[in-house]
Amino acid sequence: MSDPITQPRLGLVGWLRWMWRQLTSMRTALFLLLLLAVGAVPGSIWPQRSIDAARTATYIADHPKSGPWLDRLGFFEVYASPWFAAIYLLLFVSLVGCVLPRSKVHWKAMRSSPPKAPARPARLPANGTFEVTAAPAAVVDAARETLRGSRFRTVAHDETSVSAEKGYLKETGNLVFHLSLIFVIIGVAIGHLYGWKGDVIVPVGKSFANTLANYDTFSPGPLVDPASLSPFELKVDQFDATFEENVTGRGQFGSPRDFTAHVTTKATPDAPAQKATVKVNHPLEMKGAGVFLLGNGYAPVITVRDAKGAKVYSGATPFLARDNNYTSVGVVKVPGAQPEQLGFSGLFLPTATIGKDTGPISVFPDLKKPALALTVYEGDLFPGGRPQSVYLLDTAKMTQLQNAKGDPLRIWLEPGQTYQLPGGKGSISFDSVARFAGLSIRHDPGKFVTLAAALLALSGLIASLVIRRRRVFVRVSPGAVPGRTVVTVGGLAKGDDDGLQDVVDRVVAALEARFTVDPDAGTDPDPDHDPDPDHDPAPEPEMDSRLDARG
């Protein structure tokens, strides 16, 4: 009876080596890259707490069953969740473990000589054979010179062959592309850890100081101290908006032509003021941050008074555009109103009209006929104390006011008009219209690393796609006729290469042309003239022999 077969055991070191090889394989890197893209999908489906905390809290409150579970799984803070970070780090390790060994192998290949020519180059995918009247050594020297002229690196391993190779930059480009992906990840990580961004709406004539309390939304990196923000100041002096008014103009009627915010800036509170402009795709660079113009709109100046005529609310109130004609939505929250808190919700219309089917809308984005269309609620503006957007009105604990007929109260105001609220609740006035600039202020210390790495990745990708890795071998052997040499040229490429045969054909043509003798070379221009009449011409075979030797 034979002994039982004993299978070898990997052991702890063997299993660790196996797991490392699996993690650093290109297949795993591609899978992790796909998994990273899939993992980012929830960030575009569910609201993110770092971007809009009020909207996130509202979503969780509206979905009492699924909301808390999604929150536990990190779906409301995807890019800071542990599982997303795990994918991110595994991809980084996989790329490093995959690229660095390949770089070492490629470095050795670049420093090594091309391999020895095969015994039968005619069996290679691209080949060509011809005969010349020349010594083998002369053909080998000519082949090396010809291939070097085509930027091949050549070596002769013996006296009857030449090996040539070029296209090392193809693999170099491939490695540069993958190494650049690593630095892209590093740049993104630096920006995530040490960067921050905030959005703010600044009406014309108002100032903004770069402090946390002044931002509408603020998203800091995990290692950012909000108290250390650069103390610059910015005031919006004027906002210019140009729209197409000519129906036969360059574009669609009402389409935007230009947006420019004219601002006054101070690097520090004590620094001298400087004039500057912010335009779309032309940000303003401040110390420690860039100021981008992302939006604009209208901020009607509204005043709310109580029954005694005292102001309980006054100021420019931004309304957010919802279409290209700047039909804008907004709310006015008056927590100081008595006896109940008041909330106004409705539309601002730059060029107002009331359509039969559409209701109140704007038909042009510029201020041609501005108006406000509002409804009024009273009650608790902040039920449960939950955070909420300044542009949304939570009416869960509020009651809509009604007119004398018992219908919901509708208010229509044009600039300069005042409306008296029913029940002695005061009044609301539409004083004027101001513009606002929607600014996004960002600090990304990793952007230059990411940009440089992206450019290198693009260069490496182009190089890996355009450059061809090719080897050409030339082998010579004596021909059947004395003095003749058989030359065989073979080509081999790494991967598909439709142009390899053309390369071999050019080498063949160059060598044939080098050893081809012009039949008219050395003949006398006057065939009837004989410089030596007593000399008999040599027989034809001997003439052929002289030609062969001369060639």
Side-chain angles (χ1 to χ4, degrees):
M1 183 175 180
S2 60
D3 295 333
I5 299 175
T6 303
Q7 296 289 342
R9 296 181 179 274
L10 288 177
L12 178 61
V13 176
W15 277 109
L16 291 176
R17 185 181 292 111
W18 178 83
M19 288 188 291
W20 174 254
R21 289 177 178 175
Q22 295 300 314
L23 177 61
T24 57
S25 67
M26 185 56 66
R27 178 178 58 185
T28 302
L30 292 175
F31 174 76
L32 289 172
L33 190 62
L34 176 62
L35 195 61
L36 191 71
V38 174
V41 171
S44 60
I45 296 178
W46 286 281
Q48 299 298 291
R49 185 173 283 108
S50 60
I51 298 176
D52 194 340
R55 185 182 173 195
T56 303
T58 301
Y59 184 93
I60 296 175
D62 293 342
H63 300 80
K65 293 184 178 180
S66 61
W69 278 104
L70 292 174
D71 195 16
R72 293 189 188 98
L73 295 174
F75 279 29
F76 300 116
E77 199 67 47
V78 169
Y79 306 110
S81 61
W83 56 267
F84 192 84
I87 300 173
Y88 185 95
L89 294 175
L90 284 174
L91 176 61
F92 179 80
V93 173
S94 179
L95 285 174
V96 171
C98 177
V99 173
L100 292 185
R102 287 180 57 187
S103 300
K104 183 179 179 181
V105 172
H106 180 57
W107 174 253
K108 292 182 178 179
M110 290 184 65
R111 301 184 65 185
S112 62
S113 300
K116 186 177 180 180
R120 297 176 179 82
R123 294 183 176 180
L124 296 178
N127 60 81
T129 304
F130 63 97
E131 288 190 22
V132 295
T133 304
V139 177
V140 170
D141 292 339
R144 294 185 68 173
E145 184 178 346
T146 300
L147 290 169
R148 284 176 179 173
S150 298
R151 299 188 299 279
F152 279 88
R153 189 171 64 177
T154 64
V155 64
H157 292 280
D158 53 49
E159 297 180 353
T160 61
S161 67
V162 176
S163 301
E165 187 172 10
K166 73 174 182 178
Y168 292 94
L169 290 180
K170 179 180 179 67
E171 180 65 13
T172 302
N174 191 15
L175 292 173
V176 167
F177 172 75
H178 288 88
L179 284 171
S180 298
L181 291 183
I182 296 175
F183 282 98
V184 168
I185 295 175
I186 293 174
V188 172
I190 293 174
H192 174 71
L193 293 174
Y194 297 97
W196 54 268
K197 64 177 181 179
D199 298 329
V200 61
I201 288 179
V202 184
V204 172
K206 299 296 183 179
S207 298
F208 167 78
N210 189 34
T211 59
L212 179 61
N214 291 329
Y215 280 99
D216 296 332
T217 61
F218 187 79
S219 177
L223 302 181
V224 173
D225 180 10
S228 63
L229 299 181
S230 178
F232 64 83
E233 296 181 0
L234 180 149
K235 179 182 178 183
V236 179
D237 301 318
Q238 181 181 341
F239 190 90
D240 297 333
T242 306
F243 302 95
E244 181 62 60
E245 298 189 39
N246 188 354
V247 293
T248 60
R250 295 172 296 170
Q252 184 180 2
F253 178 73
S255 60
R257 286 285 169 234
D258 181 63
F259 297 120
T260 303
H262 301 271
V263 299
T264 300
T265 64
K266 289 184 178 181
T268 62
D270 299 330
Q274 295 182 347
K275 297 291 185 179
T277 59
V278 188
K279 299 172 67 71
V280 178
N281 297 326
H282 290 82
L284 173 64
E285 292 296 333
M286 300 297 295
K287 182 180 179 180
V291 182
F292 297 81
L293 178 62
L294 290 189
N296 69 93
Y298 295 100
V301 180
I302 298 172
T303 300
V304 178
R305 291 179 170 84
D306 60 15
K308 298 180 180 180
K311 291 183 180 179
V312 291
Y313 179 91
S314 181
T317 308
F319 277 56
L320 303 181
R322 71 179 188 185
D323 60 25
N324 293 333
N325 287 322
Y326 281 60
T327 300
S328 306
V329 296
V331 299
V332 179
K333 299 179 183 181
V334 191
Q338 294 296 332
E340 295 281 349
Q341 295 179 345
L342 294 178
F344 300 82
S345 176
L347 303 173
F348 171 76
L349 313 170
T351 304
T353 187
I354 300 179
K356 182 178 180 181
D357 299 324
T358 60
I361 60 169
S362 176
V363 294
F364 189 74
D366 212 350
L367 290 173
K368 301 297 183 181
K369 188 182 177 183
L372 276 172
L374 302 173
T375 59
V376 191
Y377 295 83
E378 64 176 355
D380 187 2
L381 284 172
F382 307 100
R386 295 196 307 266
Q388 58 181 254
S389 171
V390 296
Y391 307 106
L392 296 176
L393 185 64
D394 189 345
T395 59
K397 299 295 184 179
M398 304 189 79
T399 303
Q400 188 173 17
L401 297 186
Q402 298 178 344
N403 57 20
K405 297 181 180 180
D407 298 325
L409 182 64
R410 309 291 184 186
I411 300 175
W412 183 271
L413 290 174
E414 295 183 2
Q417 293 182 348
T418 299
Y419 185 89
Q420 297 295 328
L421 300 175
K425 293 180 174 57
S427 64
I428 179 171
S429 301
F430 181 12
D431 301 328
S432 61
V433 182
R435 277 194 170 275
F436 71 79
L439 303 178
S440 180
I441 304 174
R442 308 174 186 177
H443 173 64
D444 185 3
K447 62 182 179 181
F448 295 109
V449 176
T450 305
L451 175 61
L455 293 177
L456 282 175
L458 180 60
S459 301
L461 181 62
I462 293 174
S464 65
L465 294 176
V466 173
I467 299 174
R468 296 287 183 264
R469 181 79 176 271
R470 291 164 174 165
R471 288 175 177 171
V472 175
F473 304 100
V474 179
R475 182 168 289 281
V476 298
S477 59
V481 178
R484 303 281 287 180
T485 298
V486 178
V487 184
T488 305
V489 182
L492 187 64
K494 187 176 182 180
D496 296 333
D497 189 351
D498 296 334
L500 182 61
Q501 185 62 52
D502 294 336
V503 173
V504 172
D505 292 341
R506 286 197 295 270
V507 174
V508 170
L511 292 177
E512 283 185 320
R514 190 181 183 97
F515 292 100
T516 298
V517 178
D518 187 353
D520 295 331
T523 59
D524 196 301
D526 185 0
D528 297 330
H529 175 68
D530 187 354
D532 187 2
D534 296 331
H535 177 70
D536 293 331
E540 190 68 22
E542 295 182 7
M543 178 64 72
D544 291 341
S545 177
R546 288 199 303 273
L547 286 174
D548 290 344
R550 184 174 60 192

